[in-house]
Every structure is written in C-alpha cells, then in structure tokens.
Amino acid sequence: MTNILGISAFYHDSAAALIVDGNIIAAAQEERFTRKKHDAGYPAHAIDFVLAEGNIAPDDIDYVVFYDKPFLKFERLLETYVAVAPKGLNSFRMSMPVWLREKLFQKDLLIKQLKEKQGLTKMPEFLFSEHHFSHAASAFYPSPFEKAIVLTLDGVGEWATTTVAIGDGNNLEIVKELYFPHSLGLLYSAFTYYTGFRVNSGEYKVMGLAPYGTPKYKDLILEKLIDLKEDGSFKLDQTYFNYTSGLTMTNRKFAELFGQPARRPDKDPLTQFHMDIAASVQAVTEEIVLRITRGLAREYNIPNLCLAGGVALNCVANGKLLRDGAFPNIWIQPAAGDAGGAIGAAMAAWHQELGNERVVDPSDAMQGSYLGPQYSQDIIESELSKAGAVFEVMEDRVLFEQTASALAENKAVGWFQGRMEFGPRALGGRSILADPRSASMQKTLNLKVKFRESFRPFAPSVLAEDVSDWFEQETPSPYMLIVADVHEKRRYKMTDEEKNLFGIDKLNVSRSEIPAITHVDYSARIQTVHKETNPRYHALISAFKEKTGCPVVVNTSFNVRGEPIVNTPHDAFKCFMGTDIEVLVIGNCFLRKDQQDPTLAVSYENKYELD
C-alpha cells in the first residue's frame, strides 16, 4: 500500500489530500478548520483530518508532495524585480524577508512542521511538483477520459500562467506554456481590483456583476491592454499594470484609459460604469478562452477537454465553452484553484513519478467532491446539546418531508449532511437552501442571511433527471461550474418598461417561474444532483418536487460573507443562530429557530473581515 500526502500551502487556500494506491481518500482546505477564509498557513488541521480519514499514522506516509517549486518561483520574483528596477523596491523589501526566512527552504519547513504538528518520526520521500503541472494533474487524472487536452489558466505559478498538456492513460505532458507577466488570471484580477473588490477572492463578484452592464469597453481593452492572437495567445501591455513592481494591480495610466480612478470599496458606490467594466472584462475573458480552445480542437483533434486553475472557476465562460461545441466533452476539476493542487500533486506522483497505471472512472474519481469530514449522529447530537440547541430527531422520511415543507413555506434552511465538499462550492453537504419560486428570496438571502451585496446571484440545485426540462442544458453539471439559461418555457416575457431598466434596477424583475435563481440575463449556475453521489440531497429535492412540482432548490454555501463554509455541527449552529436562517437540519436533527434560546444568538454582521 502506497500512501501519498499532497500539500498546497503558503500562498492562499492551503489544503491537504491523501491518495492511497491511486485512490482519493480525503481532501480538505485548512480554512474550514481554522475559520480563517483563504487560510494560507501550513495545513496542520487538514493533514490531521485526511490521515485520520484514511486511518494512516504519520509514519506510514510514503511520499509528501508539495504543489509547486519554491526555487523556481523565487527565481521569477528576483528576475522580475531586476527587470523593473528601481521600481518595485517597496514590494521587494516586503517580500524578500518572508521568502528568505520561510518560503524558500520549504522542504525544511515542511519537515519541521510535520514533526511538530503531526509527530512525524520516520522521514517519507519529499517531492515537489510544478504549480501548473499540479493543476493539470488535478484536472486529468480524476477525469472520466482516457485521453484529453488539459488546459490550465490562473494568475501565475512559478513562471507559467497558462499551460496546455496532453493526458493519455497515466502519462501527462505539458506541450505549450504562456509565461508571466502575461496572464488571463492577472488581467481579471486587475479589473477585480479596479472595481473595488479583493483580489484572489472577489473575482466571482465581477462575474456576477457583469450581466448588469454592457461590454462597451471590450474593444478598448483588446486595443490597448492586450495583444490577442487568433490562437488565443496574448501579451499584456505592462505600462497599464502595477503587479510586477508595486503593491496594487493597476496604475494611473490604467485609470486614465477608462476615465475613472479605481473604486474604493469602503467609500465609492457601485455604479453603471463598474457594471460595464465588469461586463467588458468578462467578454474579453470569454473571447480569449474560446480562441484558445477552438485552436486546440483544430490542432489536436481530441474530443475531450479538462480544465483547472482559478480561471476554470469562471462558470459563465465554461458555459460558453460547452455550447461552443469545439470540444464535445468537458470536465472541470471542482477544486480548480490552488487547493486542488494538493490532489494534483499527489496524483502526479502516483502516476507520473511512480509510473502506476490509471483506472478511469466513467463518472469521475472525485466522488462528487464530498471528500471532507463527516459526523456520526451521536456526535451531532452531542455537539448540539453542548451548544444548548433544542432539536428533534426524525427518521429520514419524516426529515425530508418536514424540510421540504419548510422550504415550501418560504423558510431559509441550513442543510448539513454527510461529508464536507472540497473546493469553493457548497454542493448539498454544507448548504443553505431556499424555495427558488420566491421572487424576494435572492434579496432576502443576500441581505439577511449572507450579509452581502444584493446583486450577488444564487445557484440552483436541480435533480439530474429533470435538468433539461428546466434549463437549456443536457449534460450533467455536478460541480456547479457551468452556467446555462433557464428553459425558454419557464421564462416570463418582460414588458418594454422592464427591458429598459438599467443596472441594479433589473434585480427586482421576476424573469421566470424560479426567479430566485434566474440572473438578469436569464442564466443560472447549475448543479445537477445525482442519487449515486448524494442520495440524501436527492431525496430532499425529490420530496420538494412532490410537494410543489418544482425539482429545483436554491443552493448557496452555508456561511456568511467573509466566513469559510461551516465544517462542524457547532459551526453550523453558530451560523444558524447568528443569521435569519429559520430551520437547521444536521444529520437527522431538525431545529426550528423559534424554539431556540435567543440569548445564544451571536451577531455575525461584523464578525468576519469582508471578502
């Protein structure tokens, strides 16, 4: 038996994964344990969890694989500072002590931490995978394809920002690369910064804001900021950006190009200008992705495409890519960001380094991405009792019926079942659920439960067997990574007056039979729910369908803005008591807010730093 521990750490979204004889046993992000969003520290808790889940003692680890190569990254930083000198001195002064003290000698740091935190006494073999190879391995090896093109797109790893690889059996080879500072991820992050959102966490807000605007600056971006070739390769004009030398993403020349300074999130309101900027960079992103993928389809004539890297979480672009048809079959790693590098690094070691054969799972090897901790009914009852919760234990049939009734009564429901999800999406393990037929539910959830901007869209979970009846989507989307339109027969026709509304005013118009998940452009980020991977969630939605005729529920992650998704029953109860969630269902425990001790409520509105 070969035990491989994969680690992603020290940049953002630290995580650990355990692979035993090529099988993914467990994976989790450190933030879920420390309650610090995007925690970049050494993933001690995540490592403890994955080892416990696999019943593996620390000294039974055969290989520890880190997801990137620190010396190569350090080389890129030094060469970049030299290239832009004397600019960048402040950035250099801030980063060098950390690199020289901690980041550069990561093998020593990992050994020290594994000894101190995990009690390691017997040294495993240490391996270091390249950043984008980890991404590519996370996309290909768990995929349902024997052979595929693998495209990775993110900000930057060591030097690469975009790579193309060919996966065939157990072999994976990178055949093309685009290098820093030319990066689609950093272009999108620059506009994230410019519109007043936080880089590395606010990019999805730009994507959610885009449908409220028109892409009137698309041509300007393509003319001034980026030299885009027919095959999708590109160069960014660095005179408009500040990320190679400064502490911000954009500079004064960038602001002058668009006629406004960067938005200050704590002082400046979101305006139609920012919505148009968001729409424009989204349109440019889609154009680049489609040019790249069409070129790859022509060049290699392989029908299967795998995606990973932070840009692969752009589900709007993914939907356009699927409908474009250049690749008939697409699979996206659900933990496409850096956390997923822990799985990729470990699987790369098993297949590429050790030469082991690959057995392809026709659905995929990610097990629905339910790879995190789970809690027995006894532990759930014990934790809730310690927290002072009032609950009723119900058998499954009654539990599903009562939860479906609560949803139909327009109540927000905290749903905590089975193993926690790995990756940024809640997929019915740690979710807040609601009735999608409610016209007011989107605003209610945003303002009273999530404490976040009212424009943010919510996603639907739909029974896999009913997806094509409610959405213009035929293929499965189990990981909520593809946007498709609500089916035309489910839409409402808009009046001329409604069609002429601008910006956030569009939010209040009901567009379909399921308005809570229908975005202003009739789109929705779909999760198809499959009985095989999540039978309890499937049973709940089936009960809701039986009661209402609607096989769809609103699904958003079980947390408030700025907080990581809940991990433990105690986390869930705290979030329940600190928000306007009216019902909480954990395992077979059913909790009603009006039966709880109100003195247990904790204010959440200012508890977490906003993302």
Side-chain angles (χ1 to χ4, degrees):
M1 192 166 75
T2 304
N3 304 315
I4 303 176
L5 176 66
I7 295 176
S8 160
F10 310 130
Y11 180 48
H12 62 95
D13 292 317
S14 291
L18 177 67
I19 309 296
V20 177
D21 289 344
N23 298 307
I24 304 170
I25 302 301
Q29 292 122 285
E30 184 69 3
E31 65 163 23
R32 307 291 169 84
F33 303 91
T34 62
R35 314 309 300 152
K36 178 184 174 185
K37 195 155 189 182
H38 303 300
D39 194 335
Y42 171 75
H45 302 84
I47 293 171
D48 283 343
F49 156 67
V50 299
L51 293 179
E53 187 68 23
N55 199 24
I56 302 293
D59 285 347
D60 291 333
I61 301 168
D62 297 297
Y63 296 88
V64 173
V65 195
F66 194 70
Y67 83 124
D68 72 5
K69 293 193 172 181
F71 276 96
L72 277 179
K73 192 173 279 188
F74 187 65
E75 174 191 83
R76 188 247 303 165
L77 289 172
L78 286 181
E79 288 196 22
T80 301
Y81 286 132
V82 169
V84 301
K87 289 192 296 180
L89 186 59
N90 285 338
S91 177
F92 180 82
R93 280 175 176 159
M94 288 177 69
S95 67
M96 280 306 108
V98 178
W99 268 92
L100 294 172
R101 186 175 64 248
E102 297 174 9
K103 293 189 174 185
L104 188 55
F105 304 104
Q106 255 158 44
K107 182 177 178 181
D108 293 342
L109 177 61
L110 288 171
I111 291 172
K112 181 179 178 221
Q113 294 282 18
L114 282 162
K115 284 180 176 178
E116 287 180 5
K117 302 286 173 58
Q118 273 71 45
L120 190 76
T121 60
K122 176 188 158 196
M123 280 305 106
E125 188 168 340
F126 283 81
L127 301 172
F128 290 80
S129 174
E130 284 197 23
H131 184 98
H132 273 261
F133 196 85
S134 297
H135 275 319
S138 79
F140 176 62
Y141 289 125
S143 80
F145 309 134
E146 182 68 36
K147 186 173 184 178
I149 300 287
V150 187
L151 176 63
T152 71
L153 300 144
D154 70 359
V156 60
E158 292 90 3
W159 278 104
T161 64
T162 303
T163 68
V164 176
I166 307 292
D168 190 355
N170 70 341
N171 187 58
L172 182 65
E173 181 184 1
I174 291 177
V175 293
K176 292 185 181 185
E177 293 183 309
L178 193 64
Y179 296 115
F180 182 85
H182 309 294
S183 164
L184 180 54
L186 290 175
L187 175 70
Y188 209 92
S189 292
F191 280 90
T192 301
Y193 167 81
Y194 183 64
T195 49
F197 300 119
R198 181 174 291 185
V199 171
N200 287 332
S201 68
E203 284 78 5
Y204 57 94
K205 297 183 188 181
V206 176
M207 185 177 67
L209 194 62
Y212 294 98
T214 54
K216 58 174 62 175
Y217 301 102
K218 178 185 176 183
D219 291 344
L220 184 62
I221 294 169
L222 290 172
E223 179 189 342
K224 297 290 187 181
L225 297 185
I226 186 165
D227 178 15
L228 178 62
K229 304 301 184 188
E230 191 56 39
D231 65 355
S233 61
F234 60 88
K235 286 188 174 180
L236 299 181
D237 185 339
Q238 289 301 305
T239 63
Y240 290 95
F241 300 94
N242 200 33
Y243 57 77
T244 59
S245 60
L247 302 176
T248 61
M249 294 298 296
T250 62
N251 58 22
R252 185 181 299 171
K253 186 176 179 182
F254 186 103
E256 288 171 352
L257 179 66
F258 296 105
Q260 287 196 28
R263 185 176 81 90
R264 298 167 299 178
D266 52 342
K267 295 181 180 178
D268 302 330
L270 277 171
T271 66
Q272 188 63 47
F273 168 75
H274 301 110
M275 297 171 198
D276 294 340
I277 284 286
S280 301
V281 71
Q282 179 64 32
V284 168
T285 298
E286 292 163 13
E287 176 79 15
I288 293 169
V289 169
L290 288 175
R291 285 200 193 186
I292 292 172
T293 51
R294 286 168 183 167
L296 294 175
R298 284 193 302 269
E299 183 174 356
Y300 292 101
N301 197 30
I302 296 171
N304 308 316
L305 176 69
C306 300
L307 293 171
V311 178
L313 294 171
N314 191 308
C315 49
V316 178
N318 294 341
K320 297 270 176 75
L321 176 55
L322 181 67
R323 289 185 291 280
D324 184 60
F327 284 93
N329 308 308
I330 298 172
W331 191 83
I332 306 159
Q333 164 56 243
D338 279 7
I343 282 181
M347 296 202 83
W350 173 253
H351 291 296
Q352 194 85 350
E353 187 74 18
L354 302 177
N356 290 294
E357 289 305 306
R358 176 169 167 254
V359 178
V360 177
D361 186 320
S363 53
D364 74 35
M366 286 295 292
Q367 303 158 47
S369 214
Y370 306 112
L371 298 170
Q374 60 185 333
Y375 300 87
S376 69
Q377 183 65 22
D378 286 347
I379 290 175
I380 291 168
E381 292 180 26
S382 174
E383 280 208 20
L384 290 177
S385 297
K386 282 180 191 170
V390 177
F391 59 89
E392 183 180 351
V393 179
M394 299 176 176
E395 63 172 7
D396 285 354
R397 183 185 57 79
V398 177
L399 186 87
F400 299 143
E401 197 278 330
Q402 288 289 311
T403 308
S405 293
L407 290 170
E409 290 163 10
N410 223 18
K411 291 182 167 69
V413 174
W415 179 254
F416 183 111
Q417 302 289 328
R419 295 185 73 172
M420 183 178 67
E421 302 89 341
F422 182 56
R425 306 276 182 252
L427 301 169
R430 306 287 185 273
S431 293
I432 297 170
L433 310 178
D435 188 342
R437 301 170 304 158
S438 167
S440 60
M441 188 53 73
Q442 180 190 354
K443 191 174 281 188
T444 298
L445 284 176
N446 269 326
L447 299 179
K448 293 190 175 183
V449 175
K450 302 287 278 190
F451 305 129
R452 68 185 195 183
E453 304 93 339
S454 63
F455 71 82
R456 301 266 290 275
F458 288 103
S461 291
V462 56
L463 297 177
E465 55 268 33
D466 289 321
V467 63
S468 60
D469 191 42
W470 287 79
F471 301 95
E472 293 184 350
Q473 170 91 2
E474 298 288 339
T475 56
S477 176
Y479 301 123
M480 208 184 278
L481 286 170
I482 292 171
V483 161
D485 288 340
V486 172
H487 200 292
E488 196 158 357
K489 70 181 179 183
R490 305 291 179 185
R491 300 183 202 171
Y492 296 150
K493 284 189 177 178
M494 293 175 67
T495 65
D496 290 339
E497 185 181 353
E498 289 169 337
K499 287 177 184 174
N500 290 326
L501 291 172
F502 282 95
I504 248 28
D505 291 335
K506 295 177 179 181
L507 184 63
N508 300 319
V509 179
S510 288
R511 285 175 159 68
S512 77
E513 294 175 37
I514 40 177
I517 57 84
T518 305
H519 211 6
V520 293
D521 56 358
Y522 290 106
S523 69
R525 190 181 74 207
I526 297 165
Q527 179 202 2
T528 52
V529 179
H530 303 258
K531 194 173 186 177
E532 299 76 20
T533 51
N534 198 332
R536 291 178 74 78
Y537 195 31
H538 190 277
L540 170 64
I541 302 174
S542 298
F544 184 73
K545 179 187 177 183
E546 193 174 319
K547 196 170 287 290
T548 64
C550 179
V552 183
V553 296
V554 177
N555 175 13
T556 187
S557 56
F558 199 157
N559 62 308
V560 298
R561 181 185 177 193
E563 179 196 23
I565 293 172
V566 299
N567 175 10
T568 67
H570 186 251
D571 294 339
F573 182 69
K574 279 174 60 183
C575 191
F576 170 60
M577 292 302 295
T579 63
D580 283 352
I581 298 172
E582 291 135 303
V583 169
L584 174 59
V585 187
I586 308 185
N588 285 81
C589 296
F590 192 95
L591 294 77
R592 295 177 175 86
K593 177 65 69 63
D594 58 13
Q595 295 179 351
Q596 307 305 315
D597 179 355
T599 64
L600 296 174
V602 178
S603 174
Y604 259 67
E605 286 199 63
N606 300 308
K607 185 174 175 63
Y608 290 96
E609 187 179 357
L610 298 183
D611 55 1

